Amino acid sequence: MRESVRLADLTTLRVGGPATVAECASTEALVATVRALDSKGIPVLLIAGGSNLLISDDGFDGVVVKVATTGVELGADGVIAEAGANWDGVVAQTIDAGFGGLECLSGIPGSAGATPVQNVGAYGVEVASLLRRVELLDRASGATRWAEPAELGFGYRTSKLKHSDDAVVLRVEFALDPSGTSAPLRYGELATTLAVTDGGTRPAAQVRAVVLRLRAGKGMVLDPADHDTWSAGSFFTNPVVPHARVDEIRALITAHVGDVTIPTYPAPDGVKFSAGWLIERAGFGKGFPGPEAPARLSTKHTLAVTNRGAATAGELVALARKVREGVEARFGIHLEPEPVTVGLTL
Ligand code: EPU
C-alpha cells in the first residue's frame, strides 16, 4: 500500500485529492485485496483507467484499489481481457490479429473492465452488442463467476454494474469476427466518411483508422500535450425525452434558436436529443468561458468539461453545474452527468 497518493495522477481529468492506494497487478491479487478490505469493512474505490471518474479535492477516505492487470488472450473467435488492460490496446491487438468487431470503439480512454460498467459506446456500436461474458467478484459472498450479458441490464451508457458496489469486474470476453470485417456501420458521420450506406461494412483496420481520426478531431483521444483531452469524455449523457414532452421541448428550442434542424435520434422510450448541441445553443460554446479559465469546455467539443492544467474538482463541478442549469433554464431538459463522482455531487 502506498499512502498519500494524489488521485489526480490516476485520472484523465487530473483532479482528486490524496488517498491510500493498493496496486493489484494480477487478478488473484485484485480478488484477495478486495476480499480482505471488505472483510474489515474498509471503504474501497476501484480505479483502472480513471477516464470516467471525477474525484473530490478531499481525496478518498478508504483504500483505492488500482486495477493494474494487463492480460489479453486472443482465441479463435474472441478475446478475453483482464479488467485493467488498456482498452484501446485490446482493440488494436484484435484488429492487428485480423479480427473485426471492436473497431468503432477505437481510441476510447480507459480499461477493458470498465467498458461493460457503463456500456461504453461510440460510432454506432455499444459494448453490450459484442460482449460474450464478464467475470465478476461478488463482494457480498466473495465468490467469482462468469455472468451473461442478459443478467447485466444494459441500457444507453448504463448497466446494473454502474452506481453499484456489489461486484468487481475481473475479466471481459468479446465475440469477434475472424474474417476481419467491421460491425455494420450505422453512425452517419462515420458511414459518410467511409462512403458506405447505412449498415454496410468495411475492413476493420480501415474503420479503426477513420474512427481514430474523427475522435481526435473532437479532442476525444488522450494526448498529454492537449488540454482538450484532459477530460472524462462526454460529461453528460444525451438526454432521452419521453414522447409526451417532445413537442414542448421542440417548441422551447425553436423559440430560442429559430426554426433550425434539431439533431435527434430514436431511443427505446422516447427521443434522444444531442447534449453537445443543446449546450452550444444554450450559450455555452466551445472553450466556454474563455482562455483564462482553469476549467473550460473543450475547444473541440462542448460535451467535454476539461482541465486546462491547474483546475480543481470544485472548479470543474462549478462549470458543469452552470452548463446544466443553463440548458435546463433555456430548454427544459435536465442533463445527467456521465462520469462517476466520488466525494461530491453535481
Ligand atoms: N455538436 C455541437 N457542438 C459541439 C459538439 C457536437 O453542436 O461542440 C453537435 C453535432 O453537430 C452533432 C451532435 O452534437 O449534431 C452530436 O455530436 P457527436 O457526433 O460528436 O456525438 P455526441 O452525441 O456528442 C456521442 C457519445 C460519445 C461518442 C460519440 C460518437 C454520449 C454521451 N457521447 O457523442 O461518447 O464518442 O457519440 O459516437 O453518448 C463518451 O461517452 O464519453 C463519448 C465520448
Tab-separated table of all heavy atoms in Angstrom, residues 121-124 156-157 187 189 215 218 220 232-234 236-238 263 265 274 276-277 280-281 286 300-303 338, ligand 1:
chain	number	residue	atom	x	y	z
A	121	GLY	N	-20.019	3.157	-25.542
A	121	GLY	CA	-20.446	3.119	-26.937
A	121	GLY	C	-19.844	4.261	-27.716
A	121	GLY	O	-19.522	5.304	-27.145
A	122	ALA	N	-19.653	4.061	-28.990
A	122	ALA	CA	-19.208	5.139	-29.871
A	122	ALA	C	-19.411	4.711	-31.317
A	122	ALA	O	-19.314	3.524	-31.638
A	122	ALA	CB	-17.734	5.476	-29.644
A	123	TYR	N	-19.702	5.689	-32.144
A	123	TYR	CA	-19.824	5.470	-33.590
A	123	TYR	C	-20.741	4.296	-33.926
A	123	TYR	O	-20.465	3.473	-34.794
A	123	TYR	CB	-18.422	5.386	-34.234
A	123	TYR	CG	-17.741	6.711	-34.023
A	123	TYR	CD1	-16.874	6.924	-32.957
A	123	TYR	CD2	-18.086	7.801	-34.818
A	123	TYR	CE1	-16.350	8.181	-32.692
A	123	TYR	CE2	-17.565	9.064	-34.572
A	123	TYR	CZ	-16.699	9.237	-33.512
A	123	TYR	OH	-16.202	10.477	-33.254
A	124	GLY	N	-21.864	4.238	-33.188
A	124	GLY	CA	-22.935	3.304	-33.534
A	124	GLY	C	-22.816	1.920	-32.933
A	124	GLY	O	-23.666	1.066	-33.179
A	156	TYR	N	-28.531	2.487	-22.486
A	156	TYR	CA	-27.658	3.536	-23.013
A	156	TYR	C	-26.772	4.078	-21.888
A	156	TYR	O	-27.260	4.636	-20.925
A	156	TYR	CB	-28.517	4.645	-23.641
A	156	TYR	CG	-27.779	5.935	-23.896
A	156	TYR	CD1	-26.681	5.978	-24.759
A	156	TYR	CD2	-28.166	7.105	-23.269
A	156	TYR	CE1	-25.997	7.158	-24.967
A	156	TYR	CE2	-27.495	8.297	-23.485
A	156	TYR	CZ	-26.404	8.308	-24.325
A	156	TYR	OH	-25.722	9.480	-24.536
A	157	ARG	N	-25.473	3.840	-21.999
A	157	ARG	CA	-24.450	4.258	-21.029
A	157	ARG	C	-24.755	3.806	-19.592
A	157	ARG	O	-24.439	4.502	-18.628
A	157	ARG	CB	-24.274	5.772	-21.017
A	157	ARG	CG	-23.596	6.332	-22.232
A	157	ARG	CD	-22.168	5.830	-22.388
A	157	ARG	NE	-21.522	6.552	-23.459
A	157	ARG	CZ	-21.714	6.287	-24.752
A	157	ARG	NH1	-22.490	5.274	-25.121
A	157	ARG	NH2	-21.115	7.015	-25.672
A	187	TYR	N	-23.376	4.881	-37.855
A	187	TYR	CA	-23.242	6.275	-37.401
A	187	TYR	C	-23.030	7.151	-38.631
A	187	TYR	O	-22.064	6.964	-39.388
A	187	TYR	CB	-22.053	6.388	-36.463
A	187	TYR	CG	-22.096	7.595	-35.547
A	187	TYR	CD1	-22.930	7.606	-34.435
A	187	TYR	CD2	-21.314	8.720	-35.797
A	187	TYR	CE1	-22.968	8.691	-33.584
A	187	TYR	CE2	-21.350	9.815	-34.950
A	187	TYR	CZ	-22.180	9.788	-33.845
A	187	TYR	OH	-22.213	10.874	-33.007
A	189	GLU	N	-21.914	10.124	-39.504
A	189	GLU	CA	-20.631	10.763	-39.795
A	189	GLU	C	-19.571	9.738	-40.256
A	189	GLU	O	-18.785	9.990	-41.170
A	189	GLU	CB	-20.173	11.418	-38.492
A	189	GLU	CG	-19.027	12.351	-38.591
A	189	GLU	CD	-18.605	12.848	-37.200
A	189	GLU	OE1	-18.947	12.210	-36.180
A	189	GLU	OE2	-17.923	13.887	-37.167
A	215	ARG	N	-12.358	10.888	-33.779
A	215	ARG	CA	-12.295	11.125	-32.331
A	215	ARG	C	-11.254	12.196	-32.004
A	215	ARG	O	-11.494	13.070	-31.171
A	215	ARG	CB	-11.894	9.840	-31.581
A	215	ARG	CG	-12.974	8.825	-31.421
A	215	ARG	CD	-12.539	7.776	-30.391
A	215	ARG	NE	-12.601	8.314	-29.050
A	215	ARG	CZ	-13.657	8.217	-28.251
A	215	ARG	NH1	-14.723	7.566	-28.649
A	215	ARG	NH2	-13.637	8.738	-27.047
A	218	LYS	N	-12.245	15.650	-32.348
A	218	LYS	CA	-13.162	16.134	-31.307
A	218	LYS	C	-12.468	16.199	-29.950
A	218	LYS	O	-13.120	16.393	-28.921
A	218	LYS	CB	-14.374	15.195	-31.209
A	218	LYS	CG	-15.189	15.145	-32.490
A	218	LYS	CD	-16.336	14.167	-32.340
A	218	LYS	CE	-16.992	13.930	-33.692
A	218	LYS	NZ	-18.177	13.057	-33.591
A	220	MET	N	-11.185	13.717	-28.345
A	220	MET	CA	-11.613	12.565	-27.542
A	220	MET	C	-10.583	11.435	-27.553
A	220	MET	O	-10.909	10.293	-27.224
A	220	MET	CB	-12.974	12.055	-28.030
A	220	MET	CG	-14.115	13.031	-27.838
A	220	MET	SD	-14.586	13.224	-26.102
A	220	MET	CE	-15.988	14.360	-26.249
A	232	ALA	N	-13.232	13.692	-19.011
A	232	ALA	CA	-13.792	12.354	-18.791
A	232	ALA	C	-14.644	11.989	-20.002
A	232	ALA	O	-15.683	11.356	-19.879
A	232	ALA	CB	-14.605	12.318	-17.513
A	233	GLY	N	-14.209	12.396	-21.188
A	233	GLY	CA	-15.025	12.168	-22.396
A	233	GLY	C	-16.273	13.025	-22.303
A	233	GLY	O	-16.234	14.151	-21.796
A	234	SER	N	-17.376	12.496	-22.775
A	234	SER	CA	-18.637	13.240	-22.669
A	234	SER	C	-18.966	13.418	-21.194
A	234	SER	O	-18.995	12.439	-20.453
A	234	SER	CB	-19.772	12.464	-23.327
A	234	SER	OG	-19.523	12.277	-24.694
A	236	PHE	N	-21.857	14.732	-20.049
A	236	PHE	CA	-23.279	14.443	-19.845
A	236	PHE	C	-23.713	13.384	-20.854
A	236	PHE	O	-23.162	13.299	-21.949
A	236	PHE	CB	-24.127	15.709	-20.064
A	236	PHE	CG	-23.832	16.809	-19.079
A	236	PHE	CD1	-23.043	17.895	-19.451
A	236	PHE	CD2	-24.331	16.764	-17.790
A	236	PHE	CE1	-22.764	18.922	-18.546
A	236	PHE	CE2	-24.054	17.782	-16.871
A	236	PHE	CZ	-23.269	18.855	-17.248
A	237	THR	N	-24.713	12.589	-20.477
A	237	THR	CA	-25.289	11.681	-21.470
A	237	THR	C	-26.253	12.475	-22.347
A	237	THR	O	-26.722	13.562	-21.964
A	237	THR	CB	-26.040	10.521	-20.791
A	237	THR	OG1	-26.919	11.051	-19.798
A	237	THR	CG2	-25.076	9.554	-20.146
A	238	ASN	N	-26.523	11.923	-23.515
A	238	ASN	CA	-27.505	12.567	-24.391
A	238	ASN	C	-28.892	12.312	-23.810
A	238	ASN	O	-29.261	11.154	-23.572
A	238	ASN	CB	-27.383	12.011	-25.813
A	238	ASN	CG	-26.133	12.516	-26.511
A	238	ASN	OD1	-25.709	13.650	-26.296
A	238	ASN	ND2	-25.534	11.688	-27.347
A	263	PRO	N	-30.818	18.074	-34.079
A	263	PRO	CA	-30.387	16.671	-34.177
A	263	PRO	C	-31.046	15.808	-33.104
A	263	PRO	O	-30.970	16.114	-31.916
A	263	PRO	CB	-28.864	16.726	-33.979
A	263	PRO	CG	-28.564	18.069	-33.430
A	263	PRO	CD	-29.721	18.972	-33.686
A	265	TYR	N	-32.254	11.447	-32.242
A	265	TYR	CA	-32.042	10.047	-32.608
A	265	TYR	C	-33.134	9.221	-31.938
A	265	TYR	O	-33.562	9.542	-30.822
A	265	TYR	CB	-30.662	9.573	-32.120
A	265	TYR	CG	-29.555	10.571	-32.434
A	265	TYR	CD1	-29.228	11.603	-31.535
A	265	TYR	CD2	-28.875	10.516	-33.649
A	265	TYR	CE1	-28.239	12.539	-31.841
A	265	TYR	CE2	-27.891	11.446	-33.958
A	265	TYR	CZ	-27.582	12.450	-33.056
A	265	TYR	OH	-26.618	13.382	-33.369
A	274	SER	N	-29.314	15.728	-28.606
A	274	SER	CA	-27.858	15.787	-28.508
A	274	SER	C	-27.450	16.795	-27.426
A	274	SER	O	-27.704	17.993	-27.553
A	274	SER	CB	-27.288	16.215	-29.859
A	274	SER	OG	-26.011	16.749	-29.688
A	276	GLY	N	-24.480	17.853	-26.572
A	276	GLY	CA	-23.481	18.815	-27.056
A	276	GLY	C	-24.131	19.945	-27.836
A	276	GLY	O	-23.796	21.127	-27.664
A	277	TRP	N	-25.099	19.609	-28.649
A	277	TRP	CA	-25.814	20.600	-29.457
A	277	TRP	C	-26.608	21.545	-28.547
A	277	TRP	O	-26.594	22.763	-28.716
A	277	TRP	CB	-26.735	19.853	-30.444
A	277	TRP	CG	-27.389	20.706	-31.489
A	277	TRP	CD1	-26.906	20.958	-32.739
A	277	TRP	CD2	-28.645	21.391	-31.372
A	277	TRP	NE1	-27.791	21.775	-33.415
A	277	TRP	CE2	-28.865	22.054	-32.599
A	277	TRP	CE3	-29.602	21.524	-30.371
A	277	TRP	CZ2	-29.995	22.827	-32.844
A	277	TRP	CZ3	-30.731	22.297	-30.609
A	277	TRP	CH2	-30.923	22.943	-31.833
A	280	GLU	N	-24.321	23.968	-26.654
A	280	GLU	CA	-23.837	25.056	-27.517
A	280	GLU	C	-24.933	26.083	-27.773
A	280	GLU	O	-24.705	27.291	-27.682
A	280	GLU	CB	-23.304	24.450	-28.831
A	280	GLU	CG	-22.637	25.476	-29.686
A	280	GLU	CD	-21.492	24.922	-30.538
A	280	GLU	OE1	-21.089	23.756	-30.394
A	280	GLU	OE2	-21.008	25.714	-31.352
A	281	ARG	N	-26.152	25.605	-28.049
A	281	ARG	CA	-27.269	26.541	-28.331
A	281	ARG	C	-27.761	27.246	-27.075
A	281	ARG	O	-28.442	28.261	-27.159
A	281	ARG	CB	-28.425	25.821	-29.021
A	281	ARG	CG	-28.292	25.787	-30.550
A	281	ARG	CD	-27.215	24.851	-30.926
A	281	ARG	NE	-26.726	24.909	-32.288
A	281	ARG	CZ	-25.705	24.161	-32.702
A	281	ARG	NH1	-25.070	23.367	-31.856
A	281	ARG	NH2	-25.295	24.239	-33.932
A	286	LYS	N	-17.898	26.242	-27.628
A	286	LYS	CA	-16.614	25.548	-27.453
A	286	LYS	C	-15.651	26.482	-26.734
A	286	LYS	O	-15.550	27.659	-27.054
A	286	LYS	CB	-16.057	25.126	-28.807
A	286	LYS	CG	-16.954	24.130	-29.535
A	286	LYS	CD	-16.372	23.743	-30.880
A	286	LYS	CE	-17.280	22.778	-31.633
A	286	LYS	NZ	-18.503	23.391	-32.186
A	300	LYS	N	-12.897	21.806	-28.733
A	300	LYS	CA	-13.275	20.997	-29.903
A	300	LYS	C	-14.658	20.372	-29.781
A	300	LYS	O	-15.211	19.903	-30.777
A	300	LYS	CB	-12.243	19.876	-30.116
A	300	LYS	CG	-10.809	20.374	-30.317
A	300	LYS	CD	-9.851	19.239	-30.627
A	300	LYS	CE	-8.409	19.714	-30.763
A	300	LYS	NZ	-7.776	19.989	-29.444
A	301	HIS	N	-15.209	20.318	-28.557
A	301	HIS	CA	-16.497	19.624	-28.352
A	301	HIS	C	-17.122	20.105	-27.048
A	301	HIS	O	-16.508	19.966	-25.993
A	301	HIS	CB	-16.269	18.104	-28.312
A	301	HIS	CG	-17.495	17.307	-28.612
A	301	HIS	ND1	-18.606	17.309	-27.815
A	301	HIS	CD2	-17.788	16.479	-29.651
A	301	HIS	CE1	-19.528	16.507	-28.338
A	301	HIS	NE2	-19.057	15.999	-29.460
A	302	THR	N	-18.341	20.630	-27.133
A	302	THR	CA	-18.941	21.238	-25.934
A	302	THR	C	-19.333	20.224	-24.861
A	302	THR	O	-19.636	20.625	-23.736
A	302	THR	CB	-20.211	22.029	-26.317
A	302	THR	OG1	-21.088	21.154	-27.035
A	302	THR	CG2	-19.872	23.240	-27.163
A	303	LEU	N	-19.343	18.945	-25.211
A	303	LEU	CA	-19.790	17.958	-24.224
A	303	LEU	C	-18.670	17.541	-23.268
A	303	LEU	O	-18.904	16.838	-22.293
A	303	LEU	CB	-20.351	16.731	-24.970
A	303	LEU	CG	-21.309	15.795	-24.248
A	303	LEU	CD1	-22.332	16.530	-23.416
A	303	LEU	CD2	-21.991	14.882	-25.254
A	338	GLU	N	-22.290	11.892	-16.901
A	338	GLU	CA	-21.895	10.533	-17.273
A	338	GLU	C	-20.810	9.973	-16.348
A	338	GLU	O	-20.851	8.798	-15.993
A	338	GLU	CB	-21.424	10.517	-18.730
A	338	GLU	CG	-21.237	9.125	-19.258
A	338	GLU	CD	-20.479	9.095	-20.561
A	338	GLU	OE1	-21.131	9.158	-21.613
A	338	GLU	OE2	-19.239	8.995	-20.538
B	1	EPU	N1	-22.383	19.201	-31.509
B	1	EPU	C1	-22.445	20.564	-31.318
B	1	EPU	N2	-21.387	21.189	-30.709
B	1	EPU	C2	-20.297	20.516	-30.302
B	1	EPU	C3	-20.239	19.126	-30.489
B	1	EPU	C4	-21.300	18.478	-31.108
B	1	EPU	O1	-23.416	21.203	-31.678
B	1	EPU	O2	-19.376	21.158	-29.769
B	1	EPU	C5	-23.493	18.512	-32.189
B	1	EPU	C6	-23.025	17.942	-33.506
B	1	EPU	O3	-23.186	18.848	-34.546
B	1	EPU	C7	-23.927	16.740	-33.696
B	1	EPU	C8	-24.274	16.335	-32.281
B	1	EPU	O4	-23.894	17.410	-31.427
B	1	EPU	O5	-25.127	17.104	-34.328
B	1	EPU	C9	-23.636	15.029	-31.871
B	1	EPU	O6	-22.202	15.165	-31.758
B	1	EPU	P1	-21.213	13.918	-31.853
B	1	EPU	O7	-21.402	13.214	-33.156
B	1	EPU	O8	-19.840	14.392	-31.539
B	1	EPU	O9	-21.707	12.886	-30.769
B	1	EPU	P2	-22.185	13.060	-29.255
B	1	EPU	O10	-23.610	12.629	-29.204
B	1	EPU	O11	-21.842	14.381	-28.715
B	1	EPU	C10	-21.676	10.595	-28.586
B	1	EPU	C11	-21.087	9.899	-27.394
B	1	EPU	C12	-19.561	9.879	-27.470
B	1	EPU	C13	-19.179	9.158	-28.765
B	1	EPU	C14	-19.791	9.908	-29.948
B	1	EPU	C15	-19.532	9.195	-31.255
B	1	EPU	C16	-22.582	10.219	-25.497
B	1	EPU	C17	-22.842	10.957	-24.238
B	1	EPU	N3	-21.498	10.586	-26.166
B	1	EPU	O12	-21.286	11.954	-28.521
B	1	EPU	O13	-19.097	9.117	-26.386
B	1	EPU	O14	-17.767	9.112	-28.911
B	1	EPU	O15	-21.227	9.977	-29.774
B	1	EPU	O16	-20.250	8.019	-31.283
B	1	EPU	O17	-23.345	9.321	-25.864
B	1	EPU	C18	-18.404	9.324	-24.116
B	1	EPU	O18	-19.416	8.689	-23.819
B	1	EPU	O19	-17.568	9.706	-23.238
B	1	EPU	C19	-18.175	9.654	-25.501
B	1	EPU	C20	-17.150	10.422	-25.895
